[in-house]
Amino acid sequence: KVKKLKGEGIQTCNDELKAEVVNEQRLIAGLRESIKQHQLFIVYQPIVDSKTREVWGVEALVRWQFQTELVRPDHFIPLAEKSGFILELGLWVLQQACTEFLLLEDCQNKHLSVNVSALQMQTESFFTHVQSVLETTGFDPHKLHLEITESALMTDDQQVLDSVMSLKAMGISLSIDDFGTGYSNLSQLTVLPANILKIDKSFVDASAKERDVILRAASLIASELKFLTVAEGVETEAQVNELTLRGIDLLQGYYFAKPMNLGKLSQWLKQQAN
Ligand code: C2E
Ligand code: MG
Ligand code: MG
Ligand code: MG
């Protein structure tokens, strides 16, 4: 009785796998309806100047309320990529974030940063889509930043490089997201028209030694290439102090504020101004 039969384990495994596939299909089908059903919304997380503590801007982060579940983007973005829905989703996020952001009273000199998937960048129509969002919303391209993971940028895909150049020419900046987690080819970094390096939270949390290595590397690259540096996932005052001392320009994390909807953000910005 105690001993498990060999076959049983395999059976359970298969069942689990099947359940996972079914759940994935359920989510993908749900995602396709999410825009029409008004289940997607955006939350904004402030990004703060380390020296002055003034608000530099916000990062837009998408949320999906599917029936009773709030599905995490780490979970549904990969599914959106797998199913191709990411193109529609990405465009919706950009349009929505630019529109909402302009409704803020205090948005004038603040920046908006929006995450973009590698698959979007690989699409020929990406640039014209961005252009039309800017035209229809009247958003200032110099205030818009697109966040792309370093692995997505470390490519020889001509389509991606063309998109990047066209965006840049229009005045839009690029941020390298999750810096340190990919395989940055340093020589390629020098030719990329990016302006911001976002140091991944895993390094903010790493051991003192690891942190030292990545912070030194990031600062060196940033000063050579005239990039700004952002540290993500800053949760404690000790981290704020260290990162500021180390010359990190901008800070983002729960220490300052969690991502919030537009109404909350508007209140939060007013409080900061007082
Ligand atoms: P990311 O772009 O690196 O965003 C940072 C993530 O860290 C966000 O998770 C944010 O809520 C979380 N975070 C910020 N500060 C703290 C902190 O102090 N502590 C902790 N524990 N977490 C913190 P979120 O919103 O769940 O998003 C996860 C990832 O999903 C994002 O990572 C991004 O890669 C992706 N994502 C989110 N929205 C979009 C989108 O509109 N389009 C695309 N393509 N990807 C998106
Ligand atoms: Mg990001
Ligand atoms: Mg990141
Ligand atoms: Mg991330």
Side-chain angles (χ1 to χ4, degrees):
K1 253 188 187 171
V2 189
K3 258 193 189 169
K4 231 183 180 182
L5 287 175
K6 255 189 191 164
E8 269 177 27
I10 292 166
Q11 189 60 50
T12 319
C13 237
N14 271 337
D15 285 351
E16 272 174 25
L17 206 65
K18 256 188 233 158
E20 215 173 278
V21 170
V22 168
N23 192 40
E24 205 176 286
Q25 284 165 346
R26 182 183 73 93
L27 289 174
I28 289 174
L31 256 183
R32 293 194 186 284
E33 298 300 312
S34 61
I35 295 179
K36 267 179 266 153
Q37 301 291 331
H38 306 288
Q39 293 164 344
L40 295 178
F41 61 100
I42 298 181
V43 287
Y44 301 87
Q45 187 176 35
I47 303 172
V48 173
D49 185 305
S50 66
K51 287 178 203 76
T52 64
R53 297 292 172 92
E54 274 169 33
V55 183
W56 173 86
V58 298
E59 177 176 3
L61 295 155
V62 68
R63 295 288 178 263
W64 180 28
Q65 182 68 52
F66 181 42
Q67 295 158 2
T68 54
E69 316 165 51
L70 184 65
V71 192
R72 293 190 54 85
D74 282 333
H75 193 168
F76 72 82
I77 294 291
L79 294 179
E81 288 177 335
K82 197 170 161 181
S83 64
F85 183 67
I86 190 71
L87 300 181
E88 209 176 321
L89 185 144
L91 193 58
W92 181 87
V93 169
L94 188 66
Q95 177 83 39
Q96 184 73 6
C98 287
T99 305
E100 285 192 350
F101 192 73
L102 291 177
L103 297 173
L104 287 171
E105 272 169 52
D106 320 84
C107 69
Q108 287 80 10
N109 38 32
K110 296 196 174 53
H111 300 254
L112 172 68
S113 201
V114 179
N115 292 283
V116 167
S117 151
L119 281 172
Q120 287 176 267
M121 298 282 299
Q122 287 158 13
T123 319
E124 216 186 310
S125 54
F126 182 65
F127 174 69
T128 47
H129 278 157
V130 174
Q131 207 176 19
S132 87
V133 168
L134 292 174
E135 272 166 22
T136 56
T137 59
F139 203 93
D140 175 1
H142 296 96
K143 296 284 152 54
L144 182 64
H145 299 256
L146 299 180
E147 297 194 7
I148 303 152
T149 59
E150 58 175 328
S151 42
L153 280 173
M154 295 302 138
T155 175
D156 49 17
D157 184 335
Q158 196 53 47
Q159 185 57 59
V160 174
L161 301 175
D162 287 350
S163 295
V164 161
M165 291 303 177
S166 312
L167 293 166
K168 183 78 181 182
M170 209 180 166
I172 295 170
S173 339
L174 292 181
S175 303
I176 299 178
D177 206 352
D178 304 342
F179 177 73
T181 64
Y183 329 83
S184 268
N185 170 340
L186 290 185
S187 64
Q188 188 148 3
L189 260 188
T190 62
V191 298
L192 275 177
N195 322 59
I196 294 187
L197 217 52
K198 296 195 82 171
I199 301 162
D200 195 66
K201 173 171 176 35
S202 57
F203 297 103
V204 172
D205 294 336
S207 69
K209 197 177 164 192
E210 261 188 287
R211 215 162 55 228
D212 183 58
V213 171
I214 198 82
L215 290 180
R216 269 200 289 169
S219 301
L220 187 66
I221 294 169
S223 68
E224 287 293 317
L225 303 178
K226 308 209 161 41
F227 280 24
L228 287 176
T229 44
V230 185
E232 298 188 286
V234 179
E235 293 180 348
T236 68
E237 197 171 339
Q239 288 172 334
V240 171
N241 294 336
E242 188 195 355
L243 293 162
T244 306
L245 270 177
R246 304 284 306 241
I248 302 300
D249 303 298
L250 301 167
L251 305 173
Q252 178 181 0
Y254 295 173
Y255 177 81
F256 298 101
K258 286 196 170 175
M260 45 201 155
N261 67 28
L262 194 77
K264 289 242 173 69
L265 175 69
S266 168
Q267 286 171 11
W268 188 88
L269 287 171
K270 284 205 179 79
Q271 279 168 16
Q272 303 301 306
N274 289 334

